[in-house]
Amino acid sequence: ETGVTQTPRHLVMGMTNKKSLKCEQHLGHNAMYWYKQSAKKPLELMFVYNFKEQTENNSVPSRFSPECPNSSHLFLHLHTLQPEDSALYLCASSQELAGGLGGELFFGEGSRLTVL
Amino acid sequence: SQQGEEDPQALSIQEGENATMNCSYKTSINNLQWYRQNSGRGLVHLILIRSNEREKHSGRLRVTLDTSKKSSSLLITASRAADTASYFCATDDNYGQNFVFGPGTRLSVLP
């Protein structure tokens, strides 16, 4: 138990569906992240939020829409996805952003997304 | 751009042997971290080493950092079947803002 909870753990959706992934952290951290992990590719950073403000959008297509209503919750809204978007989506949090003192990332177990 | 690059991509050893994985990066860093991931699960932090440190230990793990060569190594001693997982190094990126991961080393420890 890392203190970061992701739901759902598995999601199958059609290309015309709209769904959302949810992440919640109980660690009092200030930074939250979405990563995408596809087969045989390095983890890809998608979005970063620090104190609820987005600090990074790593050229992610607009069919992925993040939302951070408070420092404990992070959502990833999905719409009109493509089959190549099928992947493991990982949420993480850290006390501060990586720079300077840095610190470790705490990951959730991930949401396995399959787009048909 | 990608910072860390692990080597080898895959490693298979017998239980009880030591496993060594390497990580190379491109630009200066504040810290380097190693993570472990069991298949289909989230990543778990193993150890962090700062740029002014050369070696760090945690249980059966030993991490070294050579900033002149921009490289790090992770040694797992007396490996166990339960150590079977993928291992990733992560560094802060060029702007010191975010963590950037390498492609990982897939370790298989055979009983």
Side-chain angles (χ1 to χ4, degrees):
Chain A
E1 180 61 52
T2 62
V4 180
T5 304
Q6 286 188 246
T7 55
R9 290 292 312 279
H10 300 273
L11 178 63
V12 179
M13 59 187 288
M15 289 191 286
T16 58
N17 291 159
K18 284 187 180 181
K19 297 285 184 183
S20 296
L21 305 181
K22 178 183 176 182
C23 176
E24 183 174 0
Q25 56 100 355
H26 308 277
L27 302 167
H29 288 168
N30 299 316
M32 295 188 77
Y33 310 76
W34 280 116
Y35 282 89
K36 175 184 177 182
Q37 187 176 38
S38 305
K40 300 182 180 179
K41 290 177 71 175
L43 265 72
E44 299 174 63
L45 179 64
M46 300 176 72
F47 300 104
V48 182
Y49 280 82
N50 192 35
F51 291 97
K52 301 190 304 178
E53 299 298 319
Q54 188 179 119
T55 60
E56 180 86 17
N57 177 339
N58 199 19
S59 302
V60 180
S62 59
R63 57 186 184 269
F64 294 91
S65 175
E67 179 190 0
C68 188
N70 55 61
S71 292
S72 299
H73 293 85
L74 185 64
F75 294 89
L76 187 61
H77 303 300
L78 316 169
H79 61 100
T80 59
L81 295 191
Q82 305 297 313
E84 59 263 30
D85 296 322
S86 297
L88 182 66
Y89 289 85
L90 292 162
C91 172
S93 70
S94 62
Q95 184 62 51
E96 301 175 17
L97 289 176
L101 294 177
E104 64 184 273
L105 284 171
F106 290 76
F107 282 85
E109 294 285 22
S111 293
R112 171 71 63 188
L113 173 67
T114 302
V115 182
L116 301 176
Chain B
S1 61
Q2 180 181 342
Q3 273 275 51
E5 185 94 20
E6 293 91 347
D7 166 58
Q9 290 186 354
L11 178 62
S12 186
I13 60 175
Q14 295 290 327
E15 213 167 18
E17 295 181 337
N18 296 341
T20 300
M21 288 158 271
N22 303 296
C23 171
S24 59
Y25 56 92
K26 296 173 183 171
T27 60
S28 61
I29 58 172
N30 292 308
N31 65 73
L32 185 144
Q33 306 182 41
W34 285 91
Y35 288 81
R36 165 200 167 117
Q37 183 182 33
N38 286 0
S39 181
R41 307 290 295 273
L43 279 73
V44 176
H45 180 263
L46 294 176
I47 199 163
L48 178 153
I49 187 165
R50 302 204 183 279
S51 58
N52 61 351
E53 297 176 310
R54 291 296 167 258
E55 188 170 312
K56 212 161 179 183
H57 296 255
S58 177
R60 293 184 295 113
L61 305 180
R62 182 187 137 209
V63 168
T64 62
L65 179 63
D66 187 334
T67 52
S68 66
K69 295 181 180 178
K70 293 186 172 58
S71 68
S72 173
S73 68
L74 170 67
L75 169 67
I76 304 175
T77 60
S79 63
R80 306 166 182 167
D83 294 328
T84 295
S86 292
Y87 292 82
F88 299 87
C89 68
T91 59
D92 46 340
D93 66 11
N94 296 353
Y95 307 100
Q97 289 291 306
N98 301 311
F99 297 88
V100 182
F101 287 81
T105 292
R106 194 170 60 255
L107 173 66
S108 297
V109 181
L110 307 174

Coordinates of all heavy atoms in Angstrom, one line a residue, chain B residues 9-15 17 19 21 79-87 105-111:
Chain B
Q9 N 19.1 -4.7 -21.2 CA 17.7 -4.6 -21.3 C 17.0 -5.8 -20.5 O 15.9 -5.7 -20.0 CB 17.2 -4.7 -22.7 CG 17.6 -3.4 -23.5 CD 17.0 -3.4 -24.9 OE1 16.5 -4.5 -25.3 NE2 17.1 -2.3 -25.6
A10 N 17.7 -6.9 -20.5 CA 17.2 -8.1 -19.8 C 18.3 -8.9 -19.2 O 19.5 -8.9 -19.8 CB 16.4 -9.0 -20.8
L11 N 18.1 -9.5 -18.0 CA 19.1 -10.2 -17.3 C 18.5 -11.4 -16.6 O 17.4 -11.3 -16.0 CB 19.7 -9.2 -16.3 CG 20.8 -9.8 -15.3 CD1 22.0 -10.2 -16.1 CD2 21.2 -8.7 -14.3
S12 N 19.1 -12.5 -16.8 CA 18.6 -13.8 -16.2 C 19.7 -14.4 -15.4 O 20.8 -14.7 -15.9 CB 18.1 -14.7 -17.3 OG 17.5 -15.9 -16.8
I13 N 19.4 -14.7 -14.1 CA 20.4 -15.2 -13.3 C 19.8 -16.3 -12.4 O 18.6 -16.5 -12.3 CB 21.1 -14.2 -12.3 CG1 20.0 -13.5 -11.5 CG2 21.8 -13.1 -13.2 CD1 20.5 -12.5 -10.5
Q14 N 20.7 -17.1 -11.7 CA 20.2 -18.1 -10.8 C 20.0 -17.5 -9.4 O 20.8 -16.5 -9.0 CB 21.2 -19.2 -10.7 CG 21.3 -20.0 -12.0 CD 20.1 -20.8 -12.3 OE1 19.4 -21.3 -11.5 NE2 19.8 -21.0 -13.6
E15 N 19.1 -18.0 -8.6 CA 18.9 -17.6 -7.3 C 20.3 -17.7 -6.5 O 21.0 -18.7 -6.7 CB 17.9 -18.5 -6.6 CG 17.0 -17.8 -5.6 CD 15.8 -18.6 -5.2 OE1 15.8 -19.8 -5.4 OE2 14.9 -18.0 -4.6
E17 N 22.8 -15.7 -6.9 CA 23.8 -14.9 -7.6 C 23.5 -13.4 -7.4 O 22.4 -13.0 -7.0 CB 23.8 -15.2 -9.1 CG 24.2 -16.6 -9.4 CD 24.2 -16.9 -10.9 OE1 23.5 -16.2 -11.6 OE2 24.9 -17.8 -11.3
A19 N 23.1 -9.6 -9.0 CA 22.6 -9.0 -10.3 C 23.1 -7.5 -10.3 O 22.9 -6.8 -9.3 CB 21.1 -9.0 -10.3
M21 N 22.8 -4.0 -12.6 CA 22.2 -3.2 -13.6 C 22.8 -1.8 -13.7 O 23.2 -1.3 -12.7 CB 20.7 -3.1 -13.4 CG 20.0 -4.4 -13.6 SD 18.4 -4.4 -12.7 CE 18.9 -5.1 -11.1
S79 N 20.5 -12.8 -4.8 CA 19.2 -12.6 -5.4 C 18.2 -13.8 -5.0 O 18.6 -14.9 -4.8 CB 19.3 -12.5 -6.9 OG 19.8 -13.7 -7.5
R80 N 17.0 -13.4 -5.1 CA 15.9 -14.4 -4.8 C 14.9 -14.4 -5.9 O 14.8 -13.4 -6.7 CB 15.2 -14.0 -3.5 CG 16.1 -13.8 -2.3 CD 15.4 -13.1 -1.2 NE 16.2 -12.8 0.0 CZ 16.0 -12.0 1.0 NH1 14.8 -11.4 1.0 NH2 16.8 -11.9 2.0
A81 N 14.1 -15.4 -6.0 CA 13.1 -15.5 -7.1 C 12.2 -14.3 -7.0 O 11.7 -13.8 -8.0 CB 12.3 -16.8 -7.0
A82 N 11.9 -13.8 -5.8 CA 11.0 -12.7 -5.6 C 11.6 -11.4 -6.1 O 10.8 -10.4 -6.2 CB 10.7 -12.5 -4.1
D83 N 12.9 -11.3 -6.4 CA 13.4 -10.1 -7.0 C 13.1 -10.0 -8.5 O 13.5 -9.0 -9.1 CB 15.0 -10.1 -6.8 CG 15.4 -10.1 -5.4 OD1 14.7 -9.4 -4.6 OD2 16.4 -10.7 -5.0
T84 N 12.5 -11.0 -9.1 CA 12.1 -11.0 -10.5 C 11.2 -9.8 -10.7 O 10.1 -9.7 -10.1 CB 11.5 -12.3 -10.9 OG1 12.4 -13.3 -10.8 CG2 10.9 -12.2 -12.3
A85 N 11.6 -8.9 -11.6 CA 10.8 -7.6 -11.8 C 11.6 -6.8 -12.8 O 12.7 -7.2 -13.3 CB 10.7 -6.8 -10.5
S86 N 11.0 -5.7 -13.2 CA 11.7 -4.7 -14.0 C 12.3 -3.6 -13.1 O 11.6 -3.2 -12.2 CB 10.8 -4.1 -15.1 OG 10.4 -5.1 -16.0
Y87 N 13.5 -3.1 -13.4 CA 14.1 -2.1 -12.6 C 14.4 -0.9 -13.5 O 14.9 -1.0 -14.6 CB 15.4 -2.7 -12.0 CG 15.1 -3.7 -11.0 CD1 14.9 -5.1 -11.4 CD2 15.1 -3.4 -9.6 CE1 14.6 -6.0 -10.4 CE2 14.8 -4.4 -8.7 CZ 14.5 -5.7 -9.1 OH 14.2 -6.7 -8.2
T105 N 15.4 -2.4 -17.0 CA 16.1 -3.8 -17.1 C 15.1 -4.8 -16.5 O 14.7 -4.7 -15.4 CB 17.4 -3.8 -16.3 OG1 18.4 -3.0 -16.9 CG2 17.9 -5.3 -16.3
R106 N 14.8 -5.8 -17.3 CA 14.0 -6.9 -16.9 C 14.8 -8.0 -16.3 O 15.6 -8.6 -17.0 CB 13.1 -7.4 -18.1 CG 11.9 -8.2 -17.7 CD 11.0 -8.5 -18.9 NE 11.7 -9.2 -19.9 CZ 12.1 -8.7 -21.1 NH1 11.9 -7.4 -21.3 NH2 12.8 -9.4 -22.0
L107 N 14.7 -8.2 -15.0 CA 15.5 -9.2 -14.3 C 14.6 -10.4 -14.0 O 13.5 -10.3 -13.5 CB 16.0 -8.6 -12.9 CG 16.7 -9.6 -12.0 CD1 18.0 -10.0 -12.6 CD2 16.9 -8.9 -10.6
S108 N 15.2 -11.6 -14.4 CA 14.6 -12.8 -14.0 C 15.5 -13.6 -13.1 O 16.7 -13.9 -13.5 CB 14.3 -13.6 -15.3 OG 13.4 -13.0 -16.2
V109 N 15.1 -14.0 -12.0 CA 15.9 -14.8 -11.1 C 15.2 -16.2 -11.0 O 14.1 -16.4 -10.6 CB 15.9 -14.2 -9.6 CG1 16.7 -15.0 -8.7 CG2 16.4 -12.8 -9.7
L110 N 16.0 -17.2 -11.5 CA 15.5 -18.5 -11.6 C 15.8 -19.3 -10.4 O 16.9 -19.3 -9.8 CB 16.2 -19.2 -12.8 CG 16.1 -18.4 -14.1 CD1 16.9 -19.1 -15.2 CD2 14.6 -18.3 -14.5
P111 N 14.8 -20.0 -9.9 CA 15.0 -20.8 -8.6 C 15.8 -22.0 -8.8 O 16.1 -22.4 -9.9 CB 13.5 -21.2 -8.3 CG 12.8 -21.2 -9.5 CD 13.4 -20.1 -10.4

